[in-house]
Amino acid sequence: QVQLVESGGGSVQAGGSLRLSCAASGRTFSTNAMGWFRQAPGKERDFVATINWNGRSTLYADSVRGRFTISRDSARNTVTLQMNSLKPEDTAVYYCAGAKLSSSGSNADSYDYWGQGTQVTVSS
């Protein structure tokens, strides 16, 4: 059974930092892109960032570019999202996702596997 398990969420004041991690089990994602999405209360799930299979290509949502950094450790089957300069509008449940292909974009339909999510709350 394939599982993606997120960790590292929590509460932080605006301007602070959090580091989210996603550990995959049940299969390797070393040849697949990985991504992060988020969903705020009452809103649709939005793309945050994605990283291709070898970690050499990344893509970010405009709202987080320059503040968030996605990285991966394929040997450990993990993907990380470093979030700096957090804003109240970053408050959401953050989901890790495993893509179908080696490179992927912002479309959630491109991702086959999803974690259960971890809550991030940023207070002003």
Side-chain angles (χ1 to χ4, degrees), residues 6-114:
E6 303 95 338
S7 61
S11 297
V12 65
Q13 289 192 328
S17 299
L18 284 173
R19 185 178 180 88
L20 304 183
S21 294
C22 172
S25 61
R27 61 156 286 178
T28 178
F29 284 89
S30 62
T31 58
N32 299 79
M34 300 290 292
W36 286 93
F37 288 74
R38 67 186 182 185
Q39 187 168 18
K43 296 187 177 181
E44 294 184 350
R45 189 171 298 189
D46 290 332
F47 167 76
V48 175
T50 187
I51 187 167
N52 77 329
W53 72 279
N54 62 8
R56 294 177 182 176
S57 179
T58 57
L59 178 68
Y60 296 92
D62 289 344
S63 59
V64 307
R65 188 177 296 113
R67 300 187 297 121
F68 291 10
T69 303
I70 188 171
S71 60
R72 68 186 299 162
D73 185 336
S74 293
R76 297 185 177 185
N77 224 13
T78 60
V79 63
T80 299
L81 185 68
Q82 176 66 43
M83 305 186 297
N84 298 328
S85 302
L86 283 161
K87 305 175 180 180
E89 51 263 43
D90 294 319
T91 295
V93 176
Y94 283 70
Y95 297 91
C96 172
K100 302 175 184 179
L101 302 176
S102 60
S103 180
S104 191
S106 60
N107 189 338
D109 291 340
S110 301
Y111 298 81
D112 267 343
Y113 300 98
W114 294 85

